[in-house]
Structures are given as structure tokens and as C-alpha cells.
């Protein structure tokens, strides 16, 4: 069985990955579809144990038939679920909602996780990753020995979810799962692989970095490479996950197909370079050229010769900008009054919760380095952590690119391509080819 685990990211919810699931079902399987929702969990402020997540009540279709695992994660907004959260990654979730929904379609079992919805994503890449891993392992255990037993695994992550599944891959690898379950696809969509620190030496960049750290609590520090992963590996988690000597990197190397999708324009959330694991914008001095204008008009590559050309403004864009200009005094005043207040309220609640979190780092002791720290041929994340942000980004890009990725560049003419790339928030009709391309051309079926 091919298990597809969908996981949202920052401020997200499982609905954000439904378009991805729908395209995988349509183009990667031909059998009838059945859907089941996990049993709702009881309202709780304590940390539940792993027991309920592994029960047949949670996965009532676990015994139907098939063989591969896809783990999909997204970027972030719905009510949290305390299900499948271990005592080492506890939350004070306050809503009784399903832990996940399982859809069986052909040889795909799509598991859409909702254990880190909304502001629970503030808890951090590792905590959200722990929840994802626990739910995945519970499902694999549940179907073991049945006709639905899992023998292949793929992970797909959107936005912050791409970082969550990078962490999850490392923990699954360390658990020994890859000894019996073959890794196939690892795909990220608009994911900030290099973090979100703005390197420009401007006041605006400095303010943005400060606000990001303050508003997003623990995950904000991780985005900015200002966190300390564990007592054993006291460096930012993004550096640790880029170190060839550690399990996170080695897990990525196990996948037969590594691919990423990056918006080359109009992404107001994740800039091109960090999503594409590049140190420069490949389209800054090159015009985007469509790979297949008739079939996949949104998929582009940089022109080898042509400089960038600005698209002419449409009447709709002119009208929108004019209206925005007219209303800007009122909108700016409202933004300054309401947004900081809202973010502050969310941040305070998240800080109160994260202060009670217990971080699970014990498993790292059973996942030793695969290279000696003193190996002169290999820079360690500890040595890189002593360098400046620019050098840290260079090192992460260099090590991650050494793995080899299929890079898919996307051009969407929309206000915020970050949402449109996965068909969120009224995405334009012409951008639907992106997920078709992902399912038919990027996702490897084996």
C-alpha cells in the first residue's frame, strides 16, 4: 500500500492539502475511493498517549487492500487535535476533532493529518514532526499483516510542511522503518528550506526579522536560525537537518525521487531562492520560458538568453491598485491597530502552551552520526553555527543540493502564488496545471 500522509503547516489545516490528495487520487490510482474519518478524540488539556492513534477505531479502513506510503505535509489554520501526540510532544489542545482521515484509492492510502493545525504550528518543526511520525507509525502498525500493509513511503510537504516532513523523514529513518518500507518520493511545495531570514542590510529587513521572531514564537526562531535544537545538538534545527552526518540528511538520500516546486514570482510568503534551495534568484536576469505552453503553462525554466520582461497590467490589476491606493489610509490604520493585536494575542497563547512542551530528543541518542565529527572533509553543523547567516545559508544550499533534486519552477499570475500553487484561496483556473504536473510528471509511481 502506498500511504499518503497529508500534513499542513503554518496557520494551516488539513483542507489545504485536499487538492493535492484529489490530484493524486485522480492521476495516480484508478480504483474506487472510500473515505473514513478517525474517531473523534475526547477534549483534553493533557498529553494523550499513542494508544488511541493505533486503534482500529482510528483507522476503520486499515484492512482494505494495497502497498506504498506517501507522507504529505502543508504550510498552515484549523482546530487542533490532541490525537497521536506523545507525552514527549504534548499540547494543550482544547477541541475534540478527528486525528486524521484515511482515504483508500487504488493502492494509495491518503492519511490527512490534523494534529498540528492553526497556532499549534507555532510549537516548532520538531514537535509537529513528532506528531506526524507518531500518527504515521501508528497507521503502519495498524495495517501490518493485512492486505493494506505498507511497503513503500513517499512524503510531500507544502510550505512549513516541507520542513516538518524533512524532520519526520529523519525520525522515521532512525526508527528503522526504511528497513522494511521503501522510500520513493520526497516532494516539497513552496517550502522555505533555507529559512526565512532576510539578509538585506536594511531597516525594513531588520524589522521584518524581529517581528517574525516575536510573532511566530518557537517556529519563528527556527525560521531565523536562532533556535537551539537539543542539548546534544545545540545548533539551529535547519542546520542540523542539513548536516550530511545526521539522520535527517541521510533519510533524504534514501528516497529514489527528490523534487521541489518553487514559485518564481508572486510568492509573498516563501521567496523563490529559499524554496528552490538557491542562493540567488535564477529569474532575476532571465525571462521565464514555458516548458509546455499547451499542457502545463505554469511550469517554466529560465531563458538562457532573454532578459526578464514585465507583463502588461490588466484592467483588473489597474482597478485593484487604484482601489487599494484610495483606501490605503484606512487600511494602514486598521492594519497597525488590529494585526499586531491579533498576532500578540496568538503569540501569548502559544508561548503559554510551548512553555509546557516536553521535547522528545531521546531518540537521537539511538541515531548516531554517520560521519565522525572530526572528519576534516566534512563541515559539521556545529562549526557552521558559529558563522554568520550568509555563510550558514550558503552551507545549507550546498549540502542539500549535493543530494540532487528535480527542481520545478512555477509561474502563476496571481496576487499570492503561495496559496495558488496548491489551489487555495480562489486560485485562478489557469494555475490548476501545477498539481496535474505534480501528480503526472513529478510523483513517481512504483
Amino acid at each position: 500500500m502506498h500511504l499518503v500522509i497529508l500534513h499542513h503547516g503554518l496557520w494551516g489545516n488539513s483542507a489545504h492539502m485536499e487538492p493535492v490528495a484529489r490530484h493524486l487520487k485522480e492521476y495516480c490510482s484508478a480504483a474506487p475511493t472510500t473515505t473514513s474519518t478517525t474517531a473523534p478524540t475526547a477534549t483534553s488539556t493533557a498529553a494523550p498517549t499513542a494508544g488511541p492513534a493505533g486503534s482500529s477505531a482510528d483507522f476503520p479502513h486499515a484492512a482494505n487492500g494495497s502497498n506504498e506510503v506517501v507522507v504529505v505535509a502543508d504550510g498552515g489554520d484549523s482546530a487542533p487535535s490532541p490525537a497521536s501526540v506523545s507525552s514527549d510532544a504534548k499540547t494543550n489542545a482544547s477541541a475534540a476533532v478527528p486525528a486524521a482521515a484515511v482515504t483508500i484509492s487504488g493502492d494509495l492510502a491518503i492519511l490527512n493529518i490534523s494534529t498540528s493545525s492553526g497556532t499549534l504550528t507555532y510549537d516548532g518543526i520538531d514537535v509537529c514532526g513528532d506528531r506526524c511520525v507518531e500518527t504515521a507509525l501508528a497507521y503502519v502498525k495498524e495495517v501490518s499483516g493485512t492486505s493494506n500493509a505498507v511497503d513503500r513511503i513517499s512524503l510531500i510537504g507544502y510550505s512549513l510542511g516541507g520542513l516538518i516532513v524533512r524532520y519526520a523523514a529523519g525520525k522515521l529513518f532512525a526508527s528503522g522503518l526504511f528497513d522494511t518500507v521503501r522510500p520513493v518520493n520526497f516532494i516539497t511545495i513552496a517550502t522555505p528550506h533555507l529559512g526565512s531570514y532576510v539578509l538585506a542590510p536594511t531597516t525594513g529587513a531588520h524589522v521584518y526579522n524581529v517581528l517574525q521572531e516575536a510573532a511566530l514564537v518557537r517556529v519563528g526562531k527556527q525560521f531565523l536560525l536562532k533556535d537551539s535544537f537539543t542539548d546534544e545538538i545545540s545548533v539551529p534545527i535547519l542546520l542540523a537537518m542539513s548536516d550530511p552526518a545526521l539522520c535527517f540528511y541521510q533519510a533524504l538520500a534514501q528516497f529514489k525521487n527528490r523534487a521541489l516546486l518553487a514559485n518564481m514570482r508572486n510568492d509573498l510568503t516563501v521567496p523563490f531562492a529559499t524554496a528552490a534551495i538557491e542562493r540567488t534568484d535564477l529569474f532575476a536576469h532571465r525571462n521565464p520560458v514555458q516548458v509546455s505552453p499547451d499542457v502545463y503553462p505554469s511550469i517554466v525554466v529560465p531563458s538562457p538568453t532573454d532578459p526578464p520582461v514585465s507583463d502588461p497590467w490588466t484592467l483588473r490589476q489597474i482597478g485593484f491598485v487604484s482601489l487599494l491606493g484610495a483606501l490605503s489610509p484606512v487600511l494602514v490604520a486598521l492594519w497597525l491597530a488590529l494585526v499586531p493585536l491579533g498576532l500578540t494575542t496568538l503569540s501569548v497563547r502559544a508561548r503559554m502552551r510551548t512553555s509546557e512542551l516536553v521535547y522528545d530528543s531521546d531518540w537521537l541518542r539511538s541515531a548516531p552520526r554517520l560521519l565522525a565529527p572530526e572528519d576534516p572533509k566534512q563541515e559539521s553543523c556545529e562549526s557552521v553555527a558559529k558563522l554568520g547567516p550568509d555563510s550558514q545559508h550558503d552551507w545549507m544550499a550546498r549540502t542539500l543540493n549535493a543530494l540532487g533534486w528535480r527542481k520545478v519552477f512555477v509561474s502563476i499570475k496571481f496576487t499570492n502564488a503561495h496559496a495558488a500553487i496548491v489551489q487555495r484561496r480562489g486560485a485562478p483556473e489557469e494555475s490548476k496545471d501545477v498539481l496535474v504536473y505534480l501528480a503526472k510528471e513529478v510523483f513517481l509511481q512504483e
Side-chain angles (χ1 to χ4, degrees):
M1 175 63 70
H2 190 161
L3 172 63
V4 187
I5 301 176
L6 308 167
H7 191 300
H8 60 83
L10 191 61
W11 299 321
N13 58 65
S14 56
H16 290 178
M17 295 306 285
E18 281 300 327
V20 177
R22 188 166 60 250
H23 283 78
L24 289 174
K25 287 185 290 183
E26 181 175 355
Y27 295 104
C28 300
S29 65
T33 299
T34 60
T35 303
S36 67
T37 302
T38 59
T41 57
T43 301
S44 174
T45 57
T49 65
S55 68
S56 58
D58 277 332
F59 305 113
H61 286 291
N64 294 350
S66 237
N67 299 327
E68 175 170 344
V69 179
V70 182
V71 181
V72 184
D74 151 316
D77 304 331
S78 75
S81 166
S84 301
V85 182
S86 70
S87 59
D88 289 327
K90 67 180 182 178
T91 74
N92 60 343
S94 58
V97 298
V102 183
T103 300
I104 306 295
S105 181
D107 75 336
L108 299 183
I110 302 174
L111 185 64
N112 202 352
I113 297 175
S114 57
T115 53
S116 296
S117 299
T119 56
L120 287 183
T121 53
Y122 284 8
D123 295 349
I125 295 165
D126 48 345
V127 175
C128 294
D130 287 339
R131 296 168 185 151
C132 178
V133 167
E134 186 165 350
T135 304
L137 291 178
Y139 181 82
V140 171
K141 180 180 179 181
E142 180 68 20
V143 300
S144 177
T146 72
S147 58
N148 261 13
V150 171
D151 65 4
R152 293 157 290 169
I153 183 168
S154 298
L155 302 112
I156 305 174
Y158 163 59
S159 192
L160 169 63
L163 300 178
I164 293 172
V165 293
R166 274 179 57 189
Y167 174 93
K171 193 166 185 179
L172 291 171
F173 175 56
S175 75
L177 181 68
F178 292 0
D179 294 341
T180 55
V181 176
R182 178 164 53 90
V184 181
N185 297 285
F186 186 91
I187 303 170
T188 64
I189 308 169
T191 290
H193 287 285
L194 308 182
S196 59
Y197 185 87
V198 178
L199 295 170
T202 64
T203 301
H206 176 71
V207 171
Y208 176 81
N209 292 332
V210 170
L211 289 177
Q212 186 177 183
E213 180 179 357
L216 301 183
V217 195
R218 190 166 181 263
V219 77
K221 287 182 175 291
Q222 293 176 338
F223 281 155
L224 297 171
L225 279 70
K226 292 188 175 182
D227 63 302
S228 181
F229 180 30
T230 68
D231 292 338
E232 296 84 0
I233 307 173
S234 56
V235 302
I237 189 171
L238 291 185
L239 291 184
M241 293 199 303
S242 303
D243 192 333
L246 296 179
C247 60
F248 309 103
Y249 187 97
Q250 291 296 325
L252 292 181
Q254 306 301 309
F255 287 86
K256 185 172 184 179
N257 178 37
R258 286 173 300 278
L260 61 82
L261 280 71
N263 283 309
M264 55 75 55
R265 70 167 96 195
N266 300 333
D267 195 320
L268 306 181
T269 307
V270 177
F272 170 79
T274 186
I277 317 180
E278 297 286 347
R279 292 300 290 121
T280 59
D281 185 348
L282 303 181
F283 292 89
H285 304 291
R286 290 288 180 264
N287 198 43
V289 177
Q290 293 173 318
V291 173
S292 180
D294 296 332
V295 183
Y296 303 118
S298 300
I299 309 303
V300 299
V301 294
S303 168
T305 57
D306 299 331
V309 177
S310 299
D311 294 322
W313 282 41
T314 65
L315 289 176
R316 181 179 178 182
Q317 288 174 318
I318 294 173
F320 176 77
V321 171
S322 299
L323 179 62
L324 194 62
L327 297 178
S328 60
V330 176
L331 293 176
V332 169
L334 287 173
W335 190 90
L336 291 174
L338 299 178
V339 172
L341 177 61
L343 289 177
T344 299
T345 301
L346 293 175
S347 298
V348 168
R349 292 171 59 188
R351 288 180 194 282
M352 292 172 63
R353 183 181 65 255
T354 55
S355 67
E356 299 177 358
L357 287 172
V358 179
Y359 306 113
D360 174 18
S361 61
D362 291 343
W363 66 273
L364 282 169
R365 298 188 181 94
S366 62
R369 291 179 179 274
L370 302 181
L371 297 174
E374 63 273 11
D375 184 349
K377 298 180 181 179
Q378 179 63 56
E379 287 182 286
S380 68
C381 55
E382 288 90 348
S383 63
V384 175
K386 300 174 183 178
L387 306 176
D390 209 6
S391 298
Q392 292 174 351
H393 287 138
D394 283 340
W395 179 79
M396 286 192 293
R398 186 169 65 252
T399 60
L400 290 174
N401 280 320
L403 286 166
W405 297 76
R406 179 180 180 183
K407 298 187 178 184
V408 178
F409 304 141
V410 178
S411 174
I412 299 176
K413 297 176 182 178
F414 191 62
T415 306
N416 186 5
H418 189 72
I421 197 171
V422 289
Q423 292 297 296
R424 290 172 49 205
R425 296 179 187 168
E429 183 74 21
E430 57 268 25
S431 68
K432 290 186 176 180
D433 63 301
V434 176
L435 294 185
V436 176
Y437 188 85
L438 185 154
K440 296 180 68 174
E441 309 293 342
V442 178
F443 187 83
L444 183 63
Q445 299 185 65
E446 288 196 346

